[in-house]
Amino acid sequence: MNVEKTGGRLFGTGKCSGLSGTRQLPMIQKMVESMSQLQEEKGQLQEQLMALQKKLALRESDQQAVSTQLQTQVENLKEKLIGQVQEVNRLRSELGGTDLEKHRDLLMVENERLRQDMKRCEAELQELRARPPPCSECEHSKESAQLREKLAQLQLETEENKSRLAELDLEVHQKTDRLAEVELRLKDSLAEKAEEEERLSRRLRDSQETIATLKAQPQPIKYIIKTVEVDSSKTKQALCETEARNQYLQEQVGMQRQVLKEMEQQLQNSQHTTTQLKAQIMMYESELERAHGQMLEEMQTMEEDKNRAIEEAFARAQVEMKAVHENLAGVRTNLLTLQPALRTLTNDYNGLKRQVRDFPLLLQEALKSAKAEIGQAIEEVNNTNRELLRKYRRELQLRKKCHNELVRLKGNIRVIGRVRPITKEDGDGSEAANAVTFDSDDDAVIHLLHKGKSVSFELDKVFPPHATQQDVFQEVQALITSCIDGYNVCIFAYGQTGAGKTYTMEGTVENPGINQRALQLLFSEVQEKSSDWEYTITVSVAEIYNEALRDLLGKEPQEKLEIKLCPDGSGQLYVPGLTEFKVQSVEDINRVFEFGHTNRTTEYTNLNEHSSRSHALLIITVRGTDYSTGLRTTGKLNLVDLAGSERVGKSGAEGSRLREAQYINKSLSALGDVISALRSRQGHVPFRNSKLTYLLQDSLSGDSKTLMLVQVSPVEKNTSETLCSLKFAERVRSVELGPGSRRAELMSWSSQEHLEFEGSLVQTPSSARSYSSSSSGTPISRSSSIRRKLQTSGKMKPVPV
Ligand code: ADP
Ligand code: MG
C-alpha cells in the first residue's frame, strides 16, 4: 500500500519536469517508459516481497509450531526419563532372574520325588506303629520313639523348605515377568526415541535447507531493496525487522540444537544406566542361582539325614518285629495250653447258665418258704412278746413285793445328821467355839463335847459343815426318785432354830436346797421315761401353825383347812380346798415358791420368827400311767421344814409364845410317837395326835419311806439343844432293829417328856438304845399281826399292778 502511494508521487513529479522542455520529449518518454517499467518492476518486487513476507510469516509460524512441538517432546522425554529412572530403581530393589524358571522346575521335580519318598516312609511308619509294642520299656522302643521324633522334625523342616521353595518360585516368576515387561518397555521407548530423533533431525535438516534457500535468495532482493530503499525507508525498516526476526529464529534453532544435544546426552546417559541395570540384574540372577544351589545342597543333606533316619528306624523296627514274632510264638504256645482250661470254663459257664435259667423258679420257692418262715417267726415273736409282757408285769409285782420286803428289812426310816458351819451370827469367844467332831473312819458317827464330856452318837450318816447342798441331795435322791415308782416319801428337817433346816430344804437362790433339786430331778426322770410313761407333777404348799393347816397357794391363806376322809370309803385322806399346781419346768417351781413366800410374808409381820414357829410343807404328787400296761401309779413327796425344836423354859414363856411352844412340842412329840409306833409295828399309830402326822398319815405308813434330817449347830452355846436333837435322832433310828430282833423298846415322846427333857441326864448312845418305854412297849410277837392290820387298814397306798 505504502509502496503504491510512493509510486504515485514519483509519477506526479515526473509530469511537471516534462512540461519544462519539448525537446526532451523522447527522453522523457523513455524515462516514462523506464519509469513505468520500473513501476512495473517495483510492483512485481512488491508482490514478491509480499509473497516473501507471507512465506516468512508462514515459516515463522511453522518454526514456532516446531519449537513448541520440540518443547513438548523434550518435556515428554524428560517425563519418560524420570519414569525409566524410577523403573530402574524399582528393578534395582527387586531381584529377578530369567533362569530361575529352570531351577524352579528342577526343584519341583525334586520335591515331588521327596514327597513320594516321604509318603512311603509314612506308610511304613504307620505299619510299624500299628504293630503291638513287643516290649514297652526296652531300649529299642525308646530309640524308635526318638527316631520318630527326629523324623517328625525332619518332616517339619522339609515342609518348611517346601513352602520356602514355593515362595521363592513364585517370586522368581513374578520377577521374570516384570523383567520381561521392563525390557519390552525399554525397547519400545528406545525405538520411540530413535524415531523421534530421526524425525527431529529430518526436520532440522529441512529447516536448515529452507533457511539456506532463504539465505541464498536475498541477492536480487537486496538490489531491489537498495533501489526501493531510496523510495521507502519503511520497507527498509520492515526488512530490518524481518532480518532481526530471522536472526532470532536462527538463534532459536541453535538453542533447539543445543537442547537436542543435551537430550542426546541424556539419552546416552539413560542407555548407560540401562546397561548398568542389566549388569546388576545379571549379578542378581547369579546370586539367586547361588542361593538356589545352596538350598538344593541343604535339601540334599536333609534328604540324606531323612533317609538315614528312616533306615535306622527300619532296622530297629525289624529287630522289634523279630522280638514281637518271638513273643507271638510264646503266646501261641500259651494259647495251646489254655485251650483245655477254656473248654472246662465253657462247660462251667454252660452249667451256670442253666442254673441262672432255673434261678427265678428257685427264688420264688425260696421266697415262698422264707415268707412262711418269717410269718411263723413273727407269730413266735408275738407270742414271746405277749409272754414277756406277762412276765414283765409279774416281775413288776415281784419287784414291788421285794422292794417292800427290802424296805421292811432295811427299815424305811433313815436318820441323817447335818452340822452347819459356824457363822458370823454365832458371834465369837468361847460360846462360839466348836463343840462337834467327827470320826474320820466312820461317817455315821458324831462326837459332841457337852459340859466337858464327849458324847458320841451313831446315825445313818452325818454330814460335816463342809458338805455341800449337792452332797446332801445325792444322799436323798434315790428316795425322791422312788416316788416316781409310786412310793410315798417324807423328808423332815428337824432341829433347833438356826441349825440350818431352811437352808437344807430351801437353800438360797445361788445354791438351792432339796426342794428345788428334787423337783428338777423329778422332771428329768419323768422326761427320760416319757417314751413309756405319762406323768403329771403337781405341787401344794402348806403350813401348820398352832395346829392350824393353811394353804399357802390358796386365794385366802389365812383360812384354816380341814383334813377329811375320802367319801369313797377307800380310807384315804384329803384336804378339801388345798391348791394343787401342775408344774412342768423350773420356772413353774420358782413361781410356785415365790407365790407361797408372798402369801406367808403378807400374812406375818415377823416372818423369821413365824417360820421358826411353824411347819412348812411342800407336797409334790407324781401321777404316772404306763402306756403299754395301762398301769397307774401315784407317789407323794412331802418335804417338811419343821418348826424349831428348841425347848422353851416353863417359866420363860407366857401367853402366845407359850401356846406356840406347846403346839410345837405337841406336834414334834406326835411325830416321834408316830414314827415309834410305825417302827415297832404297833397296832395303833397315833396319827391323829397332831395335824402334821394326820396330814402325812398315808405318807408315813405302809411301804412309805421317811428321812429325818437332823440339823445341828456346832457351837458351844448350842450344845444342850444339839444334844437333844441328836438324842431324838438316835432314838428314831434305834427303834429300827430289823424284823428278827425287833424289840418293843419304844418310848412315848409325850409333849411333857419333850419339854422336860432338858432336866434329864445326858445318855450314851448305848444307853439311849436300851431306853425302854414305860407306856407303850410292844412285844415282838405282835409285829406280824400289826403288819397285817396295816395292810388291811386301807391307809396304805394300793400296790400298783
Ligand atoms: P433354821 O431354818 O434351822 O432356823 P437356817 O436354815 O435359817 O436355820 O440357817 C441359819 C443360818 O445358818 C442361815 O444364815 C443359813 O444361811 C446358815 N446356814 C445353815 N446351814 C448352813 C450350811 N450348811 N452352810 C452355810 N450356811 C448355813
Ligand atoms: Mg428355818
Side-chain angles (χ1 to χ4, degrees):
M1 190 72 132
N2 285 339
V3 173
E4 272 178 24
K5 274 180 186 170
T6 317
R9 239 186 352 247
L10 281 170
F11 188 68
T13 321
K15 214 177 188 179
C16 284
S17 59
L19 282 170
S20 58
T22 46
R23 304 172 280 178
Q24 292 175 333
L25 265 174
M27 259 188 71
I28 292 167
Q29 269 182 331
K30 265 186 183 177
M31 273 189 69
V32 169
E33 278 173 9
S34 67
M35 275 290 282
S36 62
Q37 231 178 329
L38 276 168
Q39 277 293 6
E40 271 173 34
E41 272 179 7
K42 189 187 165 186
Q44 278 173 352
L45 274 169
Q46 271 178 337
E47 274 171 20
Q48 275 179 354
L49 194 65
M50 289 286 276
L52 273 170
Q53 275 175 341
K54 270 181 193 172
K55 257 186 183 177
L56 206 61
L58 265 172
R59 186 60 48 91
E60 264 177 5
S61 65
D62 271 3
Q63 279 210 335
Q64 196 75 31
V66 166
S67 78
T68 47
Q69 223 175 340
L70 280 169
Q71 205 89 28
T72 48
Q73 274 176 0
V74 166
E75 298 272 286
N76 283 343
L77 279 169
K78 266 182 191 169
E79 273 175 22
K80 273 180 188 170
L81 203 66
I82 288 162
Q84 276 177 1
V85 168
Q86 281 172 353
E87 187 69 33
V88 166
N89 283 341
R90 199 166 55 76
L91 282 168
R92 247 183 222 159
S93 64
E94 292 167 358
L95 278 169
T98 43
D99 289 342
L100 284 173
E101 273 170 341
K102 272 184 208 167
H103 292 304
R104 190 195 62 199
D105 291 339
L106 268 172
L107 280 170
M108 270 163 80
V109 170
E110 189 70 27
N111 215 5
E112 190 56 36
R113 195 177 59 78
L114 282 171
R115 229 177 259 156
Q116 274 167 6
D117 280 359
M118 209 151 73
K119 263 183 196 166
R120 194 164 42 76
C121 286
E122 272 171 0
E124 274 174 14
L125 257 174
Q126 285 282 336
E127 211 179 304
L128 282 170
R129 265 185 215 134
R131 277 177 206 162
C135 38
S136 55
E137 280 174 338
C138 77
E139 258 180 61
H140 298 303
S141 55
K142 278 180 196 167
E143 266 180 59
S144 156
Q146 279 173 355
L147 280 168
R148 258 178 229 141
E149 269 176 35
K150 215 169 153 190
L151 195 68
Q153 221 175 324
L154 282 168
Q155 276 173 347
L156 262 174
E157 277 175 29
T158 318
E159 283 297 320
E160 271 175 33
N161 283 330
K162 265 185 214 166
S163 62
R164 232 173 83 196
L165 198 69
E167 273 173 31
L168 280 170
D169 276 355
L170 198 72
E171 226 174 277
V172 165
H173 254 298
Q174 284 172 352
K175 280 183 181 169
T176 321
D177 290 351
R178 235 177 267 158
L179 206 68
E181 213 178 294
V182 168
E183 273 177 350
L184 261 174
R185 248 189 274 162
L186 209 65
K187 270 178 194 166
D188 285 353
S189 62
L190 281 172
E192 259 177 49
K193 266 183 194 169
E195 241 174 68
E196 189 69 22
E197 224 179 292
E198 185 74 35
R199 203 157 49 80
L200 279 171
S201 53
R202 216 172 27 242
R203 254 191 163 167
L204 204 67
R205 260 198 316 274
D206 286 351
S207 300
Q208 279 171 346
E209 273 172 22
T210 322
I211 290 163
T213 45
L214 279 172
K215 270 181 185 169
Q217 267 182 9
Q219 288 306 321
I221 294 166
K222 263 182 193 169
Y223 168 73
I224 294 160
I225 288 167
K226 272 178 188 169
T227 46
V228 173
E229 253 173 10
V230 187
D231 301 321
S232 168
S233 58
K234 271 186 185 178
T235 313
K236 246 181 190 175
Q237 201 181 337
L239 204 64
C240 272
E241 278 173 10
T242 311
E243 271 177 355
R245 216 168 224 170
N246 207 3
Q247 185 71 30
Y248 170 73
L249 279 170
Q250 272 178 351
E251 276 171 18
Q252 282 280 318
V253 167
M255 266 162 68
Q256 287 293 335
R257 264 191 204 137
Q258 190 67 30
V259 169
L260 205 65
K261 259 183 193 167
E262 278 172 16
M263 278 173 72
E264 273 172 355
Q265 187 65 39
Q266 274 182 2
L267 199 66
Q268 268 177 1
N269 285 348
S270 65
Q271 273 171 350
H272 180 67
T273 320
T274 313
T275 42
Q276 271 182 347
L277 280 171
K278 270 181 183 168
Q280 266 184 3
I281 286 163
M282 290 290 277
M283 197 177 73
Y284 289 146
E285 272 176 3
S286 68
E287 260 179 42
L288 202 67
E289 211 166 313
R290 198 166 45 77
H292 187 70
Q294 266 182 4
M295 199 177 75
L296 278 177
E297 270 172 29
E298 273 178 30
M299 276 184 75
Q300 186 69 29
T301 48
M302 270 158 64
E303 180 67 16
E304 278 165 11
D305 282 353
K306 192 180 85 181
N307 286 343
R308 210 170 27 251
I310 287 165
E311 269 167 27
E312 280 171 15
F314 187 69
R316 274 197 199 99
Q318 270 183 335
V319 173
E320 280 166 18
M321 269 297 286
K322 209 173 168 186
V324 166
H325 277 302
E326 278 165 14
N327 273 353
L328 198 68
V331 168
R332 267 191 195 134
T333 47
N334 277 347
L335 210 64
L336 281 174
T337 52
L338 278 172
Q339 262 168 359
L342 188 71
R343 259 197 297 282
T344 46
L345 274 174
T346 319
N347 287 341
D348 286 355
Y349 170 70
N350 287 334
L352 279 171
K353 233 163 120 181
R354 270 196 299 280
Q355 278 181 14
V356 166
R357 213 172 30 240
D358 300 341
F359 183 70
L361 275 174
L362 282 171
L363 190 72
Q364 254 180 351
E365 276 172 30
L367 275 175
K368 216 183 272 175
S369 65
K371 268 182 196 165
E373 272 175 32
I374 288 166
Q376 209 179 332
I378 288 169
E379 187 63 29
E380 275 172 23
V381 166
N382 273 345
N383 289 340
T384 321
N385 270 355
R386 270 197 289 276
E387 180 65 12
L388 279 172
L389 202 65
R390 194 181 59 76
K391 279 182 182 167
Y392 169 66
R393 284 181 181 160
R394 220 185 60 203
E395 281 304 313
L396 262 183
Q397 273 179 316
L398 210 65
R399 188 171 154 254
K400 187 81 186 172
K401 263 188 207 166
C402 287
H403 179 80
N404 287 346
E405 192 61 21
L406 190 74
V407 166
R408 194 178 63 73
L409 289 170
K410 232 180 121 182
N412 56 3
I413 296 181
R414 295 182 73 212
V415 183
I416 293 175
R418 186 180 191 188
V419 182
R420 72 155 169 82
I422 298 170
T423 60
K424 275 184 198 164
E425 284 76 38
D426 291 322
D428 39 28
S430 62
E431 279 202 330
N434 180 42
V436 177
T437 49
F438 304 91
D439 193 325
S440 56
D441 299 324
D442 192 347
D443 64 355
V445 173
I446 180 170
H447 309 289
L448 177 71
L449 193 69
H450 178 60
K451 291 181 179 170
K453 285 182 184 170
S454 174
V455 193
S456 301
F457 295 91
E458 190 186 347
L459 309 178
D460 288 315
K461 189 175 175 75
V462 178
F463 284 106
H466 57 78
T468 61
Q469 297 282 66
Q470 182 57 32
D471 292 339
V472 176
F473 184 71
Q474 201 120 23
E475 191 64 33
V476 303
Q477 71 178 19
L479 213 62
I480 288 159
T481 46
S482 73
C483 100
I484 295 172
D485 297 329
Y487 292 100
N488 288 343
V489 179
C490 280
I491 298 176
F492 296 102
Y494 179 94
Q496 73 171 111
T497 301
K501 298 184 294 295
T502 308
Y503 184 84
T504 298
M505 297 312 281
E506 286 179 21
T508 56
V509 180
E510 311 82 53
N511 206 358
I514 291 171
N515 289 4
Q516 196 172 346
R517 286 173 198 261
L519 275 164
Q520 275 181 20
L521 179 68
L522 288 176
F523 286 143
S524 67
E525 289 286 315
V526 161
Q527 185 64 34
E528 254 177 50
K529 287 187 164 186
S530 62
S531 56
D532 302 321
W533 288 78
E534 192 203 8
Y535 284 103
T536 52
I537 299 172
T538 56
V539 170
S540 298
V541 180
E543 72 159 15
I544 298 169
Y545 174 65
N546 284 355
E547 285 301 279
L549 176 64
R550 287 195 170 86
D551 178 12
L552 290 182
L553 300 181
K555 284 174 186 157
E556 289 174 32
Q558 69 278 17
E559 194 186 333
K560 287 183 187 175
L561 299 177
E562 290 300 318
I563 303 160
K564 288 185 175 169
L565 263 172
C566 266
D568 59 1
S570 63
Q572 299 264 4
L573 293 171
Y574 82 108
V575 181
L578 182 66
T579 314
E580 269 191 17
F581 265 123
K582 192 175 170 184
V583 286
Q584 282 171 320
S585 63
V586 180
E587 287 77 48
D588 291 349
I589 307 165
N590 291 337
R591 261 205 300 280
V592 167
F593 288 168
E594 210 176 302
F595 191 53
H597 267 287
T598 321
N599 271 345
R600 224 175 171 193
T601 323
T602 49
E603 202 63 20
Y604 304 100
T605 43
N606 189 347
L607 183 67
N608 271 348
E609 182 85 346
H610 171 79
S611 66
S612 69
R613 301 282 102 212
S614 64
H615 309 301
L617 292 102
L618 172 67
I619 304 159
I620 302 163
T621 313
V622 185
R623 293 183 182 89
T625 312
D626 186 347
Y627 290 126
S628 60
T629 59
L631 178 76
R632 285 170 185 275
T633 61
T634 305
K636 222 188 247 182
L637 174 63
N638 302 280
L639 302 165
V640 189
D641 182 357
L642 291 167
S645 64
E646 62 272 13
R647 293 144 302 163
V648 179
K650 273 180 195 169
S651 53
E654 283 176 345
S656 67
R657 187 75 187 87
L658 184 64
R659 238 180 86 221
E660 272 179 357
Q662 282 169 345
Y663 276 126
I664 294 162
N665 258 322
K666 191 186 161 200
S667 63
L668 290 177
S669 299
L671 180 66
D673 288 343
V674 165
I675 291 172
S676 296
L678 286 171
R679 293 277 174 149
S680 54
R681 315 286 195 256
Q682 282 180 28
H684 172 68
V685 182
F687 288 114
R688 282 172 176 258
N689 280 359
S690 78
K691 272 267 155 53
L692 179 69
T693 49
Y694 191 36
L695 179 69
L696 299 177
Q697 185 176 338
D698 53 0
S699 295
L700 287 165
S701 53
D703 56 0
S704 303
K705 300 167 186 184
T706 301
L707 180 81
M708 187 67 78
L709 266 163
V710 178
Q711 294 285 150
V712 292
S713 160
V715 291
E716 178 66 43
K717 63 178 176 186
N718 295 131
T719 48
S720 296
E721 286 301 331
T722 305
L723 190 72
C724 281
S725 296
L726 288 172
K727 276 183 177 173
F728 176 86
E730 202 168 54
R731 272 182 212 137
V732 169
R733 188 176 171 269
S734 64
V735 293
E736 177 59 38
L737 297 171
S741 62
R742 195 179 299 278
R743 290 180 169 268
E745 292 176 322
L746 298 167
M747 56 175 282
S748 169
W749 295 335
S750 66
S751 57
Q752 193 58 35
E753 268 178 345
H754 198 87
L755 279 168
E756 287 172 2
F757 203 73
E758 193 181 13
S760 65
L761 286 165
V762 175
Q763 292 170 316
T764 58
S766 55
S767 68
R769 274 191 200 115
S770 59
Y771 198 87
S772 72
S773 163
S774 58
S775 60
S776 49
T778 310
I780 193 160
S781 55
R782 284 180 65 194
S783 65
S784 58
S785 62
I786 290 164
R787 196 161 64 240
R788 259 201 317 278
K789 206 173 175 184
L790 275 169
Q791 281 169 348
T792 50
S793 71
K795 289 171 186 173
M796 268 180 71
K797 203 181 134 299
V799 175
V801 178

